[in-house]
Amino acid sequence: MHNIVVSGGSGAIGSAFVDELVRKYPHARIHSLSRSPDARVPEGVQWLQVDYLDEESLHAAAEQVAKEGAVDLMIVAGGILHQGDMMPEKSLRDLSAEKLLALFTANTVAPALTAKHFLPLLPRDRRGVFAALSARVGSISDNHLGGWYSYRASKAALNMFIRTAAIEIRRRNPQAIAAGLHPGTVESGLSQPFLRNVAPDKRFPPQYAVSRMMDVIATLTPADSGQCFAWDGSLIDP
């Protein structure tokens, strides 16, 4: 690995990815992208402030990253489940345009625009990986409980985007891989309001989830491109 990018590098999972990548690839050029102006990154990591809905900002960041050459690994770690008083819907009566737009913007639009500017930076002649954090609840076939309309739909849309992008990048480089990753229930601000309903052995600290997802990334092949995998390597059905 020579050139690595983590989008959403200031979040709980994103910062754990940055730390793990620094440990695993000490000689790589690692870039951490985030909107936060006070993001803290390990020594040697290049931090770039990015507005994910501003394509000029994304283009400028991509140009900066490209100075180091092709991107061997791109991880998109941003996303939201709730925000302030805005919580996941339990039923149709809880739906609102505000919730739908907020979650689709964070979980689908921002990763899609990020991919638009960074997927072209993957190598053209060797393996390169674009991995975006998705969620098992984005699986249509695995939805047996209902609820969480906006979050489920935004992650399902992200999975479709990844699938479609994988088809396109395969035409340019058959070795390129685009995949979704489900981190499991990670102990973070995103999951905090719901942890009381999760058994202790079913929730993980960010460092553990990231370590397992890195193992999954290492085993991905071009045949896996366009699919979504859980932290334990299991395939998540669409």
Side-chain angles (χ1 to χ4, degrees):
M1 292 279 185
H2 169 68
N3 199 15
I4 302 172
V5 185
V6 178
S7 176
S10 64
I13 297 179
S15 60
F17 261 117
V18 172
D19 290 340
E20 177 69 6
L21 289 162
V22 168
R23 184 193 68 78
K24 196 174 184 68
Y25 303 106
H27 302 297
R29 185 59 162 158
I30 299 172
H31 311 264
S32 176
L33 314 183
S34 70
R35 289 184 298 185
S36 174
D38 59 349
R40 293 176 175 82
V41 296
E43 184 177 356
V45 173
Q46 182 181 28
W47 172 69
L48 297 171
Q49 186 173 7
V50 173
D51 181 342
Y52 299 109
L53 301 181
D54 180 349
E55 291 203 54
E56 289 187 7
S57 175
L58 285 165
H59 177 71
E63 281 194 326
Q64 187 67 29
V65 168
K67 292 178 181 179
E68 303 292 334
V71 172
D72 299 294
L73 174 61
M74 171 91 192
I75 295 170
V76 178
I80 62 172
L81 170 58
H82 57 89
Q83 193 172 57
D85 295 332
M86 191 184 302
M87 301 298 289
E89 306 94 344
K90 294 182 179 180
S91 69
L92 281 169
R93 73 174 67 91
D94 298 324
L95 275 177
S96 70
E98 182 185 13
K99 289 180 183 178
L100 285 163
L101 289 171
L103 269 72
F104 267 84
T105 297
N107 297 336
T108 312
V109 177
L113 291 178
T114 301
K116 173 183 176 179
H117 291 273
F118 284 88
L119 265 177
L121 302 185
L122 292 186
R124 292 178 176 267
D125 57 354
R126 65 181 190 276
R127 183 181 185 269
V129 178
F130 175 94
L133 291 195
S134 187
R136 187 180 297 278
V137 296
S139 167
I140 294 173
S141 61
D142 193 56
N143 183 1
H144 304 293
L145 296 176
W148 290 27
Y149 286 90
S150 299
Y151 189 69
R152 287 184 185 275
S154 65
K155 289 298 187 178
L158 174 62
N159 291 345
M160 177 58 81
F161 176 85
I162 292 169
R163 176 67 174 174
T164 307
I167 294 170
E168 180 175 344
I169 64 172
R170 185 184 301 132
R171 297 173 185 145
R172 188 189 68 188
N173 178 9
Q175 300 179 69
I177 300 165
L181 295 175
H182 168 56
T185 301
V186 178
E187 296 167 349
S188 67
L190 183 144
S191 64
Q192 189 61 45
F194 315 100
L195 291 179
R196 65 181 179 275
N197 299 319
V198 180
D201 63 337
K202 298 295 184 181
R203 60 198 204 200
F204 318 123
Q207 296 79 7
Y208 177 80
V210 163
S211 176
R212 295 301 303 271
M213 286 189 287
M214 286 297 299
D215 291 340
V216 174
I217 289 171
T219 65
L220 292 176
T221 70
D224 299 318
S225 192
Q227 302 188 86
C228 185
F229 296 86
W231 58 273
D232 59 0
S234 61
L235 177 65
I236 296 176
D237 293 331

